Amino acid sequence: MTELLKISLPDGSVREVPQGSTPADIAAAIGPGLAKAAIAARVDGELRDLTRPFDGDAQLALVTARDEADALELARHDYAHVLAEAVQSLFPGTQITFGPATDDGFYYDVKAPASREPFGMDDLPAIEEEMRRIIRADKPLRREVWSREQLIAKWAGEGETFKAEWAAELPEGEELTVYWSGNDWLDMCRGPHLPSTGKLDPDAFKLMRVAGAYWRGDQNNAQLTRIYGTGWLNKKQLQAHLTRLEEAAKRDHRKLGREMDLFHLQEEAHGSVFWHPKGYRIWRELESYMRRKMDGGGYREIKTPQLMDVRQWTQSGHWGKYAQNMFAVPDIVPDVDEESGVASPKVADDAAWMAIKPMNCPAHVMVFKQGITSYRDLPIRLGEMGCCHRNEPHGALHGLMRVRQFTQDDAHIFCTESQVVAEVQSFIALADSVYRDFGFTYDIKLALRPEKRFGSEADWDKAEQELRDALTANGLEWEELPGEGAFYAPKLEWHLTDAIGRTWQVGTIQSDRVLPERLDAHYIGEDGEKHRPVMLHRAIFGSYERFIGILIEHFAGKLPTWLAPVQAVVATIVSDANSWAMHVEERLKEAGIRVESDLRNEKINYKVREHSLAKVPHLLVVGGRESEEGTVAIRTLGETEQRVMKLEDAVLMLMAEGTPPDIA
C-alpha cells in the first residue's frame, strides 16, 4: 500500500494525500473557488509552484492574490519571462540573458540580432502587444529539472552564447531547472512561477524605457539592451503607480532646483553641488535647526581633517573593506612647469598615500583618545557637520540624492556597556522629534550582521539585542533585515514616508564594538583598569544634500515658511505704490523675515505666476488702496483667495510662520 503524505494546513487540519500530489490538488479538494484563486504555495515556508509535487510531509499555505507581496513578486517575475519570449518571437536571433523582478516591476537584458540596431523606445509598443498576446494565450508554465550538460547543449545549439556561458559555470550537484511557456519556449530559471501566463492581467503592465547594460555588469563585456517594465496585479494598481510617477516627475528636485534657483551640477565637479544663495539659505536654516537639537541633546561639536594617512584607514578596517569607494592621493608636491603651468606629478614607489575621508568615525575616535577619559566622563557625545567624499560611479550619480561630496549631521557617542540602551532610547526620541517637525511618518528597521564582518559572535549578539531592547523600551515596532548591517555593527534605520507614499532611508544608529578595539580606544573604569567604550554612530538627516532633495520633493518645492529661502515678496500693482512697498519690505526685514520686493513695471498676474513658480510662500500685493489704508493683500502659495491685512498683523503672521518648529 502506498504511504500517504501528511499535509498540515494553516487552520491546524491535516490532509493525507498520495505521493506525487501537488498543492493544486489540495486546493481543488478544498473547493473550486480556492482552486481558481490559488496562484502558488508556501511549502514549509518556501514559495513554490502550485503544480510542484510535495517532497514529503509538509506545512502548506496556499497563496492567492490577497497575499499581495508574494503575488506581486510572482507576477513581476512572470512578466519578465513573457517579455523575453515576446522579444524573441518578434525578433528571431535575439539572445536573452537574465530578467529579475524589481521593487515596482521587472526588466530583461537582451542582445538584438546582428541584422538590426539595439532595441529602442520605438520597439516597445510592438513588444507590449506581443506580450499581451502571450498572456491571453494562457500558456501553461511548466517546471523541469535538467542536467548541466543538457543546458549547455541547448543554449549552445541555439546560439545563446550568454546562457551557455552561464550554464557552464553552474555547479555539478545543484538541481537545475527550466520553465516552459507552453511547449514552444523555455528559459533557465529557479522559479517559482504562476501556473500559466493567463494568471497575469494583460492590462496591468507597461514597458517604461530601455537602457544600455553590460553582460554580467562588466564594461569589458558585450553591451546589451535592458528593457524595463512596471507590473502589477490589476489595471487599477498600474494606473495608481503611473499617477505616482507623474506626480514624482512634477516634484523632481532637479527640476524644482532649477525653477527655484537653488543649486546646479556640472561636469567640472562630478557629484558635487554648486549651491546658489537661495539653496544655501535652506542649508543654513537646517544646519541651525540641527545645531539647536544637538546642543539640547548634550552633543559637543568638533571639526576633523579631510585628509588622513592611509595607514589610519587601514587600521580602522575601511581601507580593506571600502577602498574602492575612497579617493586616495599621493603625499607629494606636483612638479609644475613654470612656463606652461602644466603639472606633471610622478608618484614614487615609496610615496606615502593619503585618503579623503568617506566618513567621520575614525577621526572622532582620535579626538576621544586625547587625554585620559574616566568612566565618570561618559557618555561623551561628539558631533560634526562633517564633509565627506565617496567615489561613486558616474552612472550612479543622481542630483542631490547620490553625490560624491556630502555633509553629514554626524555624531558618535562613546559610552559604557550599561549606558548603551539608554543612549539609543534617547536618540530614538530625538530622531522622532526631528522627523515630526518636518511632517514625516516613518518605519524603523533593524539591519543585522552581514556575512563578511569584524568582531566576535558574542559582541554581535549583544549589540543586536541592545538595539532591540531600546526599541522595546520606547514601545516601538520594527522589521528585521538579516545580513544588511555594516561590517562593524548592526544598525537601526529610519525609513521616512513622503507625501506621495515613497520611502527614503535616512537616519541610522549603529552599536559598534569593533572600531574602538581596532583603534585602541579606552577609558579608565571604576576599578582603575582600561576598558573599551561602545561607540554609537548616529545621524538623523543622513546628509544635508540628500535630505534637502527629499524635502524639496516631499513638499513639491512649497517649503514651510520657516525653511523657505524667500519667505515673502512685496509686489506692486502700480508704480505709485513703490514707496509703500519699500516701507513694507523694510518693516518685514526688521522683524527678521526674509523678504524681497518686486517693483518692476509688469502686470501683477505676471508677477504672481513668476513668484509662484519660485515657490515663494507669501506674495504681499500693494497698490493705491493699500498705500492709503496701510494694508497689504496677501496671496498665499496654493490658495485661491487673498486676504487683506493691516501691515502689523501681516508681520505677526509671518513671524509666527517663520519661526522654526523647535523654537515655536
PDB file of all heavy atoms in Angstrom, residues 278 281-286 289 438 547 551 555 559-567 594 617 657-658 660:
ATOM      1  N   LYS A 278      19.954  81.022  -2.624  1.00  0.00           N
ATOM      2  CA  LYS A 278      18.670  80.568  -2.070  1.00  0.00           C
ATOM      3  C   LYS A 278      18.762  79.126  -1.560  1.00  0.00           C
ATOM      4  O   LYS A 278      18.204  78.782  -0.512  1.00  0.00           O
ATOM      5  CB  LYS A 278      17.575  80.704  -3.114  1.00  0.00           C
ATOM      6  CG  LYS A 278      17.216  82.156  -3.427  1.00  0.00           C
ATOM      7  CD  LYS A 278      16.146  82.251  -4.509  1.00  0.00           C
ATOM      8  CE  LYS A 278      15.814  83.707  -4.812  1.00  0.00           C
ATOM      9  NZ  LYS A 278      14.822  83.841  -5.901  1.00  0.00           N
ATOM     10  N   ARG A 281      20.633  79.037   1.678  1.00  0.00           N
ATOM     11  CA  ARG A 281      19.828  79.524   2.797  1.00  0.00           C
ATOM     12  C   ARG A 281      19.053  78.374   3.428  1.00  0.00           C
ATOM     13  O   ARG A 281      18.948  78.277   4.656  1.00  0.00           O
ATOM     14  CB  ARG A 281      18.873  80.629   2.318  1.00  0.00           C
ATOM     15  CG  ARG A 281      17.809  81.034   3.318  1.00  0.00           C
ATOM     16  CD  ARG A 281      18.349  81.421   4.669  1.00  0.00           C
ATOM     17  NE  ARG A 281      19.049  82.686   4.644  1.00  0.00           N
ATOM     18  CZ  ARG A 281      19.564  83.270   5.733  1.00  0.00           C
ATOM     19  NH1 ARG A 281      19.460  82.672   6.909  1.00  0.00           N
ATOM     20  NH2 ARG A 281      20.190  84.429   5.641  1.00  0.00           N
ATOM     21  N   ILE A 282      18.498  77.479   2.593  1.00  0.00           N
ATOM     22  CA  ILE A 282      17.818  76.289   3.131  1.00  0.00           C
ATOM     23  C   ILE A 282      18.804  75.488   3.970  1.00  0.00           C
ATOM     24  O   ILE A 282      18.495  75.045   5.083  1.00  0.00           O
ATOM     25  CB  ILE A 282      17.237  75.429   1.987  1.00  0.00           C
ATOM     26  CG1 ILE A 282      16.193  76.219   1.193  1.00  0.00           C
ATOM     27  CG2 ILE A 282      16.629  74.144   2.541  1.00  0.00           C
ATOM     28  CD1 ILE A 282      15.726  75.512  -0.081  1.00  0.00           C
ATOM     29  N   TRP A 283      20.002  75.282   3.422  1.00  0.00           N
ATOM     30  CA  TRP A 283      21.049  74.540   4.131  1.00  0.00           C
ATOM     31  C   TRP A 283      21.316  75.189   5.495  1.00  0.00           C
ATOM     32  O   TRP A 283      21.365  74.496   6.519  1.00  0.00           O
ATOM     33  CB  TRP A 283      22.318  74.543   3.276  1.00  0.00           C
ATOM     34  CG  TRP A 283      23.484  73.816   3.881  1.00  0.00           C
ATOM     35  CD1 TRP A 283      24.118  74.073   5.063  1.00  0.00           C
ATOM     36  CD2 TRP A 283      24.162  72.676   3.322  1.00  0.00           C
ATOM     37  NE1 TRP A 283      25.148  73.196   5.271  1.00  0.00           N
ATOM     38  CE2 TRP A 283      25.194  72.336   4.217  1.00  0.00           C
ATOM     39  CE3 TRP A 283      24.004  71.950   2.146  1.00  0.00           C
ATOM     40  CZ2 TRP A 283      26.076  71.280   3.966  1.00  0.00           C
ATOM     41  CZ3 TRP A 283      24.877  70.900   1.901  1.00  0.00           C
ATOM     42  CH2 TRP A 283      25.892  70.567   2.794  1.00  0.00           C
ATOM     43  N   ARG A 284      21.502  76.508   5.498  1.00  0.00           N
ATOM     44  CA  ARG A 284      21.839  77.201   6.742  1.00  0.00           C
ATOM     45  C   ARG A 284      20.727  77.076   7.775  1.00  0.00           C
ATOM     46  O   ARG A 284      20.997  76.928   8.984  1.00  0.00           O
ATOM     47  CB  ARG A 284      22.144  78.672   6.449  1.00  0.00           C
ATOM     48  CG  ARG A 284      23.469  78.905   5.751  1.00  0.00           C
ATOM     49  CD  ARG A 284      23.649  80.365   5.390  1.00  0.00           C
ATOM     50  NE  ARG A 284      23.531  81.237   6.561  1.00  0.00           N
ATOM     51  CZ  ARG A 284      23.419  82.554   6.510  1.00  0.00           C
ATOM     52  NH1 ARG A 284      23.391  83.160   5.323  1.00  0.00           N
ATOM     53  NH2 ARG A 284      23.329  83.276   7.616  1.00  0.00           N
ATOM     54  N   GLU A 285      19.475  77.145   7.318  1.00  0.00           N
ATOM     55  CA  GLU A 285      18.365  77.001   8.259  1.00  0.00           C
ATOM     56  C   GLU A 285      18.339  75.595   8.852  1.00  0.00           C
ATOM     57  O   GLU A 285      18.095  75.421  10.056  1.00  0.00           O
ATOM     58  CB  GLU A 285      17.037  77.313   7.562  1.00  0.00           C
ATOM     59  CG  GLU A 285      16.855  78.777   7.181  1.00  0.00           C
ATOM     60  CD  GLU A 285      16.915  79.705   8.377  1.00  0.00           C
ATOM     61  OE1 GLU A 285      16.328  79.371   9.435  1.00  0.00           O
ATOM     62  OE2 GLU A 285      17.570  80.761   8.264  1.00  0.00           O
ATOM     63  N   LEU A 286      18.583  74.590   8.020  1.00  0.00           N
ATOM     64  CA  LEU A 286      18.625  73.213   8.517  1.00  0.00           C
ATOM     65  C   LEU A 286      19.791  73.010   9.482  1.00  0.00           C
ATOM     66  O   LEU A 286      19.666  72.341  10.509  1.00  0.00           O
ATOM     67  CB  LEU A 286      18.759  72.233   7.344  1.00  0.00           C
ATOM     68  CG  LEU A 286      17.514  72.013   6.486  1.00  0.00           C
ATOM     69  CD1 LEU A 286      17.852  71.131   5.290  1.00  0.00           C
ATOM     70  CD2 LEU A 286      16.394  71.368   7.301  1.00  0.00           C
ATOM     71  N   TYR A 289      18.984  74.618  12.755  1.00  0.00           N
ATOM     72  CA  TYR A 289      17.995  73.763  13.426  1.00  0.00           C
ATOM     73  C   TYR A 289      18.677  72.561  14.069  1.00  0.00           C
ATOM     74  O   TYR A 289      18.454  72.250  15.250  1.00  0.00           O
ATOM     75  CB  TYR A 289      16.948  73.316  12.410  1.00  0.00           C
ATOM     76  CG  TYR A 289      16.025  72.216  12.883  1.00  0.00           C
ATOM     77  CD1 TYR A 289      14.845  72.511  13.551  1.00  0.00           C
ATOM     78  CD2 TYR A 289      16.337  70.874  12.654  1.00  0.00           C
ATOM     79  CE1 TYR A 289      13.999  71.500  13.990  1.00  0.00           C
ATOM     80  CE2 TYR A 289      15.500  69.859  13.084  1.00  0.00           C
ATOM     81  CZ  TYR A 289      14.333  70.174  13.755  1.00  0.00           C
ATOM     82  OH  TYR A 289      13.508  69.171  14.188  1.00  0.00           O
ATOM     83  N   PHE A 438       9.139  67.913  10.534  1.00  0.00           N
ATOM     84  CA  PHE A 438       9.045  68.056   9.084  1.00  0.00           C
ATOM     85  C   PHE A 438       7.811  67.354   8.504  1.00  0.00           C
ATOM     86  O   PHE A 438       7.636  67.317   7.288  1.00  0.00           O
ATOM     87  CB  PHE A 438      10.315  67.518   8.425  1.00  0.00           C
ATOM     88  CG  PHE A 438      11.530  68.361   8.689  1.00  0.00           C
ATOM     89  CD1 PHE A 438      12.389  68.056   9.731  1.00  0.00           C
ATOM     90  CD2 PHE A 438      11.793  69.479   7.921  1.00  0.00           C
ATOM     91  CE1 PHE A 438      13.493  68.837   9.996  1.00  0.00           C
ATOM     92  CE2 PHE A 438      12.896  70.271   8.176  1.00  0.00           C
ATOM     93  CZ  PHE A 438      13.757  69.951   9.220  1.00  0.00           C
ATOM     94  N   PHE A 547      18.920  65.068   2.170  1.00  0.00           N
ATOM     95  CA  PHE A 547      17.738  65.448   2.939  1.00  0.00           C
ATOM     96  C   PHE A 547      17.054  66.657   2.310  1.00  0.00           C
ATOM     97  O   PHE A 547      15.815  66.730   2.272  1.00  0.00           O
ATOM     98  CB  PHE A 547      18.111  65.733   4.396  1.00  0.00           C
ATOM     99  CG  PHE A 547      16.929  65.763   5.320  1.00  0.00           C
ATOM    100  CD1 PHE A 547      16.263  64.592   5.653  1.00  0.00           C
ATOM    101  CD2 PHE A 547      16.462  66.951   5.848  1.00  0.00           C
ATOM    102  CE1 PHE A 547      15.152  64.612   6.501  1.00  0.00           C
ATOM    103  CE2 PHE A 547      15.359  66.986   6.690  1.00  0.00           C
ATOM    104  CZ  PHE A 547      14.703  65.811   7.016  1.00  0.00           C
ATOM    105  N   LEU A 551      13.269  66.817   0.996  1.00  0.00           N
ATOM    106  CA  LEU A 551      12.333  67.870   1.408  1.00  0.00           C
ATOM    107  C   LEU A 551      11.712  68.567   0.206  1.00  0.00           C
ATOM    108  O   LEU A 551      10.500  68.834   0.184  1.00  0.00           O
ATOM    109  CB  LEU A 551      13.045  68.898   2.286  1.00  0.00           C
ATOM    110  CG  LEU A 551      13.416  68.467   3.707  1.00  0.00           C
ATOM    111  CD1 LEU A 551      14.176  69.583   4.400  1.00  0.00           C
ATOM    112  CD2 LEU A 551      12.173  68.100   4.511  1.00  0.00           C
ATOM    113  N   PHE A 555       7.653  68.298  -0.244  1.00  0.00           N
ATOM    114  CA  PHE A 555       6.805  69.496  -0.229  1.00  0.00           C
ATOM    115  C   PHE A 555       6.516  70.031  -1.628  1.00  0.00           C
ATOM    116  O   PHE A 555       5.861  71.070  -1.765  1.00  0.00           O
ATOM    117  CB  PHE A 555       7.466  70.599   0.598  1.00  0.00           C
ATOM    118  CG  PHE A 555       7.498  70.327   2.085  1.00  0.00           C
ATOM    119  CD1 PHE A 555       8.689  70.046   2.724  1.00  0.00           C
ATOM    120  CD2 PHE A 555       6.332  70.345   2.830  1.00  0.00           C
ATOM    121  CE1 PHE A 555       8.729  69.797   4.090  1.00  0.00           C
ATOM    122  CE2 PHE A 555       6.358  70.106   4.193  1.00  0.00           C
ATOM    123  CZ  PHE A 555       7.560  69.824   4.825  1.00  0.00           C
ATOM    124  N   LEU A 559       8.106  74.742   0.448  1.00  0.00           N
ATOM    125  CA  LEU A 559       8.690  74.519   1.764  1.00  0.00           C
ATOM    126  C   LEU A 559       7.935  75.294   2.833  1.00  0.00           C
ATOM    127  O   LEU A 559       7.359  76.360   2.552  1.00  0.00           O
ATOM    128  CB  LEU A 559      10.154  74.941   1.753  1.00  0.00           C
ATOM    129  CG  LEU A 559      11.068  74.145   0.799  1.00  0.00           C
ATOM    130  CD1 LEU A 559      12.423  74.827   0.693  1.00  0.00           C
ATOM    131  CD2 LEU A 559      11.227  72.706   1.275  1.00  0.00           C
ATOM    132  N   PRO A 560       7.936  74.801   4.070  1.00  0.00           N
ATOM    133  CA  PRO A 560       7.336  75.584   5.158  1.00  0.00           C
ATOM    134  C   PRO A 560       7.982  76.966   5.216  1.00  0.00           C
ATOM    135  O   PRO A 560       9.160  77.126   4.878  1.00  0.00           O
ATOM    136  CB  PRO A 560       7.670  74.757   6.407  1.00  0.00           C
ATOM    137  CG  PRO A 560       7.975  73.383   5.901  1.00  0.00           C
ATOM    138  CD  PRO A 560       8.533  73.537   4.532  1.00  0.00           C
ATOM    139  N   THR A 561       7.218  77.950   5.659  1.00  0.00           N
ATOM    140  CA  THR A 561       7.707  79.326   5.637  1.00  0.00           C
ATOM    141  C   THR A 561       9.034  79.477   6.376  1.00  0.00           C
ATOM    142  O   THR A 561       9.928  80.200   5.929  1.00  0.00           O
ATOM    143  CB  THR A 561       6.649  80.269   6.238  1.00  0.00           C
ATOM    144  OG1 THR A 561       5.428  80.136   5.495  1.00  0.00           O
ATOM    145  CG2 THR A 561       7.108  81.713   6.180  1.00  0.00           C
ATOM    146  N   TRP A 562       9.210  78.757   7.496  1.00  0.00           N
ATOM    147  CA  TRP A 562      10.452  78.916   8.271  1.00  0.00           C
ATOM    148  C   TRP A 562      11.673  78.445   7.491  1.00  0.00           C
ATOM    149  O   TRP A 562      12.799  78.909   7.737  1.00  0.00           O
ATOM    150  CB  TRP A 562      10.355  78.191   9.615  1.00  0.00           C
ATOM    151  CG  TRP A 562      10.444  76.680   9.554  1.00  0.00           C
ATOM    152  CD1 TRP A 562       9.413  75.813   9.390  1.00  0.00           C
ATOM    153  CD2 TRP A 562      11.619  75.887   9.685  1.00  0.00           C
ATOM    154  NE1 TRP A 562       9.861  74.513   9.396  1.00  0.00           N
ATOM    155  CE2 TRP A 562      11.213  74.534   9.577  1.00  0.00           C
ATOM    156  CE3 TRP A 562      12.975  76.165   9.871  1.00  0.00           C
ATOM    157  CZ2 TRP A 562      12.125  73.470   9.659  1.00  0.00           C
ATOM    158  CZ3 TRP A 562      13.887  75.118   9.947  1.00  0.00           C
ATOM    159  CH2 TRP A 562      13.457  73.779   9.842  1.00  0.00           C
ATOM    160  N   LEU A 563      11.458  77.543   6.523  1.00  0.00           N
ATOM    161  CA  LEU A 563      12.568  76.959   5.778  1.00  0.00           C
ATOM    162  C   LEU A 563      12.740  77.584   4.396  1.00  0.00           C
ATOM    163  O   LEU A 563      13.788  77.418   3.756  1.00  0.00           O
ATOM    164  CB  LEU A 563      12.318  75.449   5.639  1.00  0.00           C
ATOM    165  CG  LEU A 563      13.480  74.540   5.272  1.00  0.00           C
ATOM    166  CD1 LEU A 563      14.656  74.724   6.214  1.00  0.00           C
ATOM    167  CD2 LEU A 563      13.009  73.078   5.284  1.00  0.00           C
ATOM    168  N   ALA A 564      11.739  78.295   3.918  1.00  0.00           N
ATOM    169  CA  ALA A 564      11.784  78.859   2.567  1.00  0.00           C
ATOM    170  C   ALA A 564      12.899  79.894   2.453  1.00  0.00           C
ATOM    171  O   ALA A 564      13.063  80.729   3.341  1.00  0.00           O
ATOM    172  CB  ALA A 564      10.444  79.497   2.223  1.00  0.00           C
ATOM    173  N   PRO A 565      13.669  79.852   1.374  1.00  0.00           N
ATOM    174  CA  PRO A 565      14.767  80.816   1.238  1.00  0.00           C
ATOM    175  C   PRO A 565      14.279  82.256   1.153  1.00  0.00           C
ATOM    176  O   PRO A 565      14.895  83.163   1.695  1.00  0.00           O
ATOM    177  CB  PRO A 565      15.473  80.385  -0.051  1.00  0.00           C
ATOM    178  CG  PRO A 565      14.503  79.527  -0.785  1.00  0.00           C
ATOM    179  CD  PRO A 565      13.643  78.885   0.256  1.00  0.00           C
ATOM    180  N   VAL A 566      13.167  82.487   0.450  1.00  0.00           N
ATOM    181  CA  VAL A 566      12.497  83.789   0.442  1.00  0.00           C
ATOM    182  C   VAL A 566      11.105  83.547   1.012  1.00  0.00           C
ATOM    183  O   VAL A 566      10.324  82.781   0.452  1.00  0.00           O
ATOM    184  CB  VAL A 566      12.405  84.384  -0.978  1.00  0.00           C
ATOM    185  CG1 VAL A 566      11.638  85.709  -0.947  1.00  0.00           C
ATOM    186  CG2 VAL A 566      13.793  84.594  -1.575  1.00  0.00           C
ATOM    187  N   GLN A 567      10.805  84.197   2.132  1.00  0.00           N
ATOM    188  CA  GLN A 567       9.544  83.914   2.817  1.00  0.00           C
ATOM    189  C   GLN A 567       8.393  84.766   2.298  1.00  0.00           C
ATOM    190  O   GLN A 567       7.238  84.372   2.395  1.00  0.00           O
ATOM    191  CB  GLN A 567       9.738  84.120   4.324  1.00  0.00           C
ATOM    192  CG  GLN A 567      10.749  83.135   4.910  1.00  0.00           C
ATOM    193  CD  GLN A 567      11.125  83.464   6.341  1.00  0.00           C
ATOM    194  OE1 GLN A 567      11.274  84.642   6.694  1.00  0.00           O
ATOM    195  NE2 GLN A 567      11.276  82.453   7.173  1.00  0.00           N
ATOM    196  N   ARG A 594      12.649  86.991   5.762  1.00  0.00           N
ATOM    197  CA  ARG A 594      13.416  87.015   4.519  1.00  0.00           C
ATOM    198  C   ARG A 594      12.489  87.473   3.392  1.00  0.00           C
ATOM    199  O   ARG A 594      11.634  86.711   2.938  1.00  0.00           O
ATOM    200  CB  ARG A 594      14.015  85.637   4.234  1.00  0.00           C
ATOM    201  CG  ARG A 594      15.016  85.191   5.284  1.00  0.00           C
ATOM    202  CD  ARG A 594      15.744  83.914   4.904  1.00  0.00           C
ATOM    203  NE  ARG A 594      14.903  82.738   4.896  1.00  0.00           N
ATOM    204  CZ  ARG A 594      14.601  82.010   5.972  1.00  0.00           C
ATOM    205  NH1 ARG A 594      15.070  82.367   7.163  1.00  0.00           N
ATOM    206  NH2 ARG A 594      13.838  80.930   5.872  1.00  0.00           N
ATOM    207  N   PRO A 617       6.347  81.465  -0.381  1.00  0.00           N
ATOM    208  CA  PRO A 617       5.134  81.157   0.394  1.00  0.00           C
ATOM    209  C   PRO A 617       4.077  82.257   0.365  1.00  0.00           C
ATOM    210  O   PRO A 617       2.890  81.971   0.265  1.00  0.00           O
ATOM    211  CB  PRO A 617       5.669  80.946   1.818  1.00  0.00           C
ATOM    212  CG  PRO A 617       7.098  80.558   1.632  1.00  0.00           C
ATOM    213  CD  PRO A 617       7.570  81.300   0.424  1.00  0.00           C
ATOM    214  N   GLU A 657       4.807  82.103  11.328  1.00  0.00           N
ATOM    215  CA  GLU A 657       5.077  81.038  10.362  1.00  0.00           C
ATOM    216  C   GLU A 657       6.573  80.862  10.127  1.00  0.00           C
ATOM    217  O   GLU A 657       7.028  79.763   9.782  1.00  0.00           O
ATOM    218  CB  GLU A 657       4.384  81.351   9.032  1.00  0.00           C
ATOM    219  CG  GLU A 657       2.892  81.165   9.052  1.00  0.00           C
ATOM    220  CD  GLU A 657       2.299  81.209   7.655  1.00  0.00           C
ATOM    221  OE1 GLU A 657       3.048  80.993   6.680  1.00  0.00           O
ATOM    222  OE2 GLU A 657       1.088  81.474   7.542  1.00  0.00           O
ATOM    223  N   GLY A 658       7.341  81.940  10.285  1.00  0.00           N
ATOM    224  CA  GLY A 658       8.771  81.876  10.014  1.00  0.00           C
ATOM    225  C   GLY A 658       9.603  81.375  11.169  1.00  0.00           C
ATOM    226  O   GLY A 658      10.827  81.257  11.052  1.00  0.00           O
ATOM    227  N   PRO A 660      11.138  78.575  13.409  1.00  0.00           N
ATOM    228  CA  PRO A 660      11.373  77.129  13.313  1.00  0.00           C
ATOM    229  C   PRO A 660      10.579  76.365  14.365  1.00  0.00           C
ATOM    230  O   PRO A 660      10.369  76.872  15.479  1.00  0.00           O
ATOM    231  CB  PRO A 660      12.887  76.999  13.538  1.00  0.00           C
ATOM    232  CG  PRO A 660      13.441  78.325  13.104  1.00  0.00           C
ATOM    233  CD  PRO A 660      12.391  79.334  13.515  1.00  0.00           C
TER     234      PRO A 660
END
